């Protein structure tokens, strides 16, 4: 299994012996004095049924068909709606969050008395692109035309950083700021993630599937 923690959230990816893994996790939390809230704990699976009832803190865990990956909604593979509407909702969510995070850059982009280019670029990487990086596993499902909306967000950010007019060539701006396109960044993130999974989780279902390709 793989345990991923982010702040006070914990994600457990279980490949086999699920009942035993949950028991070990429950016992370890009890030993460390960590309290699990069963009402906020859910499980997701691609199988119609499980051979056991998932339990934590002596209470059953509710099944769900969707969850949020760092704020981005994700659905189970067997129920995922691979429609334009579903992809549009994901893209719009990420786009709105990125635009919201770009607002401080606009206030600090006065090149006479505002922040320097170095600071503005760091703000973009920290506030905006970091969110796209976190959402990369979800965004890998999107088409190039859908991701074009996020490309426009990065284009706007580059114009803010360099104080360029609208007609400025995007390739020149990327070269000036040493920034790849959003699509290439997502591809890079998922390639690195896939390589790590192949290295660290040889028995994971995704590893087995990749080896068969």
């Amino acid at each position: 299994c793989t345990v991923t923690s982010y702040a006070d959230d914990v994600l457990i990816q279980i490949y086999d012996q699920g009942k035993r893994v949950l028991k070990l996790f429950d016992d370890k939390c009890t030993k460390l004095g960590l309290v699990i809230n069963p009402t906020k704990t859910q499980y997701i699976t691609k199988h119609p049924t499980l051979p056991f009832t998932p339990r934590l803190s002596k209470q059953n865990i509710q099944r769900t068909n969707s969850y949020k990956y760092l704020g981005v909604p994700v659905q189970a593979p067997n129920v995922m709606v691979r429609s334009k509407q579903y992809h549009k909702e994901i893209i719009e969510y990420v786009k709105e969050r990125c635009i919201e995070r770009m607002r401080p850059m606009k206030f600090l982009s006065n090149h006479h008395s505002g922040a320097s280019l170095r600071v503005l670029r760091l703000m973009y990487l920290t506030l905006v692109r970091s969110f796209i990086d976190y959402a990369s596993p979800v965004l890998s499902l999107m088409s190039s035309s859908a991701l074009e909306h996020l490309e426009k967000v990065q284009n706007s950010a580059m114009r803010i950083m360099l104080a360029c007019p609208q007609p400025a060539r995007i390739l020149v701006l990327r070269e000036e700021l040493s920034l790849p396109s959003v699509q290439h960044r997502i591809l890079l993130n998922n390639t690195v993630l896939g390589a790590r999974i192949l290295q660290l989780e040889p028995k994971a279902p995704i590893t087995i599937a990749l080896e068969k390709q």
Side-chain angles (χ1 to χ4, degrees):
C1 72
T2 302
V3 179
T4 305
S5 60
Y6 181 78
D8 59 346
D9 293 329
V10 178
L11 169 67
I12 306 178
Q13 296 172 279
I14 302 175
Y15 311 121
D16 54 19
Q17 301 184 38
K19 186 175 182 179
R20 177 174 175 271
V21 171
L22 288 178
K23 180 66 168 55
L24 291 173
F25 180 75
D26 198 5
D27 292 344
K28 180 62 69 174
C29 288
T30 301
K31 182 178 180 180
L32 296 174
L34 301 176
V35 179
I36 302 173
N37 189 338
T39 61
K40 293 184 178 180
T41 304
Q42 298 175 318
Y43 76 92
I44 188 171
T45 178
K46 64 180 180 180
H47 302 291
T49 60
L50 293 178
F52 67 96
T53 301
R55 293 172 60 87
L56 283 174
S57 299
K58 299 181 181 180
Q59 295 188 41
N60 294 346
I61 304 174
Q62 296 297 318
R63 179 170 180 168
T64 182
N65 287 327
S66 65
Y67 67 97
K68 283 191 175 182
Y69 174 78
L70 297 177
V72 180
V74 181
Q75 291 183 306
N78 60 322
V79 297
M80 179 175 289
V81 183
R82 296 183 181 277
S83 64
K84 292 183 179 180
Q85 180 61 30
Y86 175 76
H87 288 182
K88 181 180 179 180
E89 291 175 0
I90 298 295
I91 291 294
E92 284 299 317
Y93 180 86
V94 177
K95 177 183 175 181
E96 290 175 4
R97 291 294 301 272
C98 289
I99 292 176
E100 180 181 336
R101 291 166 174 236
M102 275 174 50
R103 288 174 183 168
M105 295 175 56
K106 295 181 180 180
F107 292 106
L108 298 174
S109 60
N110 189 317
H111 283 250
H112 295 289
S113 58
S116 65
L117 174 59
R118 179 181 178 184
V119 172
L120 291 173
R121 184 179 184 277
L122 181 60
M123 288 182 66
Y124 170 74
L125 296 178
T126 305
L127 299 177
V128 182
R129 199 177 75 175
S130 62
F131 189 76
I132 296 177
D133 287 346
Y134 282 135
S136 289
V138 180
L139 296 175
S140 64
L141 303 172
M142 309 302 163
S143 64
S144 297
S145 58
L147 292 176
E148 190 63 31
H149 295 282
L150 300 184
E151 295 285 5
K152 292 179 180 178
V153 172
Q154 177 170 275
N155 295 346
S156 298
M158 292 191 297
R159 292 190 181 98
I160 291 174
M161 287 184 275
L162 295 172
C164 292
Q166 190 71 21
R169 293 180 63 85
I170 299 303
L171 291 178
V172 176
L173 302 186
R174 289 177 187 164
E175 184 67 24
E176 184 70 22
L177 293 167
S178 299
L179 292 175
S181 68
V182 171
Q183 295 187 49
H184 287 165
R185 179 68 183 180
I186 293 172
L187 178 61
L188 172 63
N189 290 336
N190 288 302
T191 301
V192 173
L193 176 61
R196 288 178 178 174
I197 293 175
L198 287 171
Q199 181 181 10
L200 301 177
E201 299 292 342
K203 295 184 179 180
I206 188 173
T207 303
I208 297 173
L210 287 173
E211 290 177 345
K212 291 181 180 180
Q213 297 296 324

